[in-house]
Amino acid sequence: MKKRVLITGGAGFLGSHLCERYLKEGWKVVCMDNLITGSYNNIVHLTDNEHFQFIEFDVTNYIDLEGDLDLILHFASPASPIDYLEMPIQTLKVGSLGTHKTLGLAKAKGAKFLLASTSEVYGDPLEHPQKETYWGNVNPTGYRGVYDEAKRFAEAMTMAYHRYHGVETRIVRIFNTYGARMRLKDGRALPTFFRQAFENKPITVFGDGSQTRSFTYVDDLVEGIFRLSQSDEVEPVNIGNPEEISILEFAKEIIEITGSSSDIVFNELPADDPKIRQPDITKAKRVLKWEPLTDRREGLLKTMNYFKEQVQKSG
Ligand code: UDP
């Protein structure tokens, strides 16, 4: 008997890569998405597969799904800063009500549950690099608070279902991840810089560009999530690439890799933008025997043709 997984947000960037991975591992995959930030194009190549099913649905409502379920991966959420600025209520609802509904389904089906959490739970961190034991520094009423607090609530709800109802739960804290199927205009630094570089337009660095991020190639992230879903680890696990870079250096790297003639311009830094971010992955190494295999340069080289094509299509 094949195992069956429900992936919420399955038509999104990460969700669609997870759909592919679980199909490859011999699972039946139910992909659920309301397509507000996800896209049918991300999964259209899977729709001929008899083990793949797509359901257009908003998981903040009661979920009625027939058949057995072994695992739920809850990945539905707007996930880029401009998305949660534009959709603050949906962001809060999917992290709170959506997590409650999907946990309820896991309990009813006796399925394992894996929550997609985020490095944003650490906010603008006062500890560096960030270990899972760090409680974070989040502004609850700031613009990013709708995402950060929804994910923090989602973690609390997940642990409550584990402790009170005995649901087998897992929590992954995902750091900045990139790869094919990111939206060209999702507003995040990496797609924006690639787009601007290929159009030879100015690269918009926010602030003075001294803030740092650590970028993970999507295949590495998917491997970490797959391992976590198969593991016994209940407490949160960071999955990310610890190679840290300032945003200014990153902008220069994209210009160099693409051979662009773009300049760099400095725009205002958004409120509550974290100044530093780097995962401590000691725990993932220990409990999952996982570490990233793709360094940033290699990953950017693998990804840049995707962005080039997207720019050509949009132009
Ligand atoms: N950023 C930037 N220019 C852009 C978009 C983003 O300098 O056009 C900065 C942003 O302020 C942040 C970093 O790049 O410091 C990463 O932003 P992103 O939106 O990719 O992800 P975040 O880690 O902030 O969620």
Side-chain angles (χ1 to χ4, degrees):
M1 275 290 281
K2 274 181 175 284
K3 290 194 173 170
R4 189 164 179 245
V5 58
L6 167 67
I7 305 180
T8 75
F13 160 50
L14 296 181
S16 61
H17 285 276
L18 288 164
C19 289
E20 280 176 352
R21 176 61 188 263
Y22 281 81
L23 285 171
K24 242 181 235 157
E25 297 287 339
W27 290 59
K28 288 185 184 174
V29 172
V30 182
C31 165
M32 202 171 260
D33 205 299
N34 66 352
L35 302 178
I36 62 167
T37 58
S39 165
Y40 190 71
N41 285 338
N42 289 338
I43 46 139
V44 70
H45 61 294
L46 303 177
T47 51
D48 282 345
N49 188 323
E50 59 171 321
H51 301 302
F52 180 80
Q53 182 186 359
F54 172 66
I55 303 173
E56 188 172 342
F57 191 73
D58 175 349
V59 297
T60 61
N61 300 299
Y62 181 85
I63 308 165
D64 194 8
L65 187 70
E66 273 182 28
D68 292 340
L69 214 49
D70 300 282
L71 174 65
I72 298 175
L73 305 178
H74 183 36
F75 276 67
S77 178
S80 85
I82 57 164
D83 286 342
Y84 35 88
L85 278 183
E86 279 170 17
M87 292 174 265
I89 315 276
Q90 284 104 320
T91 303
L92 279 161
K93 281 176 75 180
V94 75
S96 55
L97 305 179
T99 302
H100 184 219
K101 295 290 182 280
T102 46
L103 276 163
L105 184 66
K107 176 169 150 259
K109 300 279 188 188
K112 210 187 244 190
F113 179 90
L114 186 147
L115 172 71
S117 187
T118 168
S119 54
E120 285 283 326
V121 300
Y122 302 124
D124 190 5
L126 305 176
E127 181 180 303
H128 194 69
Q130 293 79 52
K131 285 195 210 55
E132 292 86 347
T133 46
Y134 178 49
W135 291 355
N137 178 39
V138 170
N139 173 3
T141 56
Y143 287 105
R144 297 174 89 104
V146 296
Y147 184 65
D148 303 6
E149 294 297 1
K151 289 292 188 182
R152 289 168 69 95
F153 174 92
E155 289 198 5
M157 184 64 102
T158 300
M159 292 307 292
Y161 264 69
H162 172 70
R163 293 187 182 120
Y164 189 75
H165 290 307
V167 174
E168 264 200 79
T169 57
R170 309 286 176 264
I171 298 173
V172 58
R173 290 190 181 146
I174 298 170
F175 284 67
N176 297 61
T177 302
Y178 65 93
R181 305 205 193 110
M182 287 183 100
R183 284 176 296 140
L184 198 55
K185 293 196 175 170
D186 81 357
R188 286 191 250 201
L190 189 140
T192 307
F193 291 178
F194 266 127
R195 175 166 54 81
Q196 293 164 336
F198 283 123
E199 290 174 347
N200 293 309
K201 290 194 177 143
I203 307 281
T204 52
V205 166
F206 297 164
D208 62 6
S210 62
Q211 70 273 31
T212 68
R213 293 296 184 272
S214 309
F215 295 96
T216 313
Y217 184 59
V218 64
D219 289 359
D220 283 333
L221 182 89
V222 166
E223 179 62 32
I225 289 168
F226 185 76
R227 288 188 191 203
L228 178 61
S229 76
Q230 304 299 97
S231 81
D232 293 328
E233 184 58 38
V234 172
E235 299 285 330
V237 180
N238 288 339
I239 298 286
N241 188 327
E243 251 188 310
E244 185 183 12
I245 188 171
S246 78
I247 292 300
L248 179 57
E249 284 307 312
F250 187 57
K252 291 180 186 164
E253 192 169 82
I254 301 260
I255 291 173
E256 188 255 310
I257 282 179
T258 54
S260 169
S261 61
S262 293
D263 302 325
I264 292 175
V265 293
F266 295 90
N267 291 353
E268 198 183 334
L269 189 68
D272 301 328
D273 197 286
K275 286 182 245 345
I276 42 176
R277 181 178 290 159
Q278 183 191 35
D280 182 317
I281 58 165
T282 312
K283 184 172 179 182
K285 284 184 182 167
R286 190 182 73 242
V287 301
L288 308 178
K289 307 279 175 274
W290 175 89
E291 62 183 318
L293 301 177
T294 314
D295 68 30
R296 189 181 55 250
R297 199 178 169 82
E298 186 189 345
L300 292 178
L301 289 171
K302 281 189 189 179
T303 310
M304 80 176 192
N305 280 340
Y306 162 77
F307 284 109
K308 196 173 186 177
E309 280 168 23
Q310 297 303 304
V311 169
Q312 282 161 352
K313 272 189 211 161
S314 73

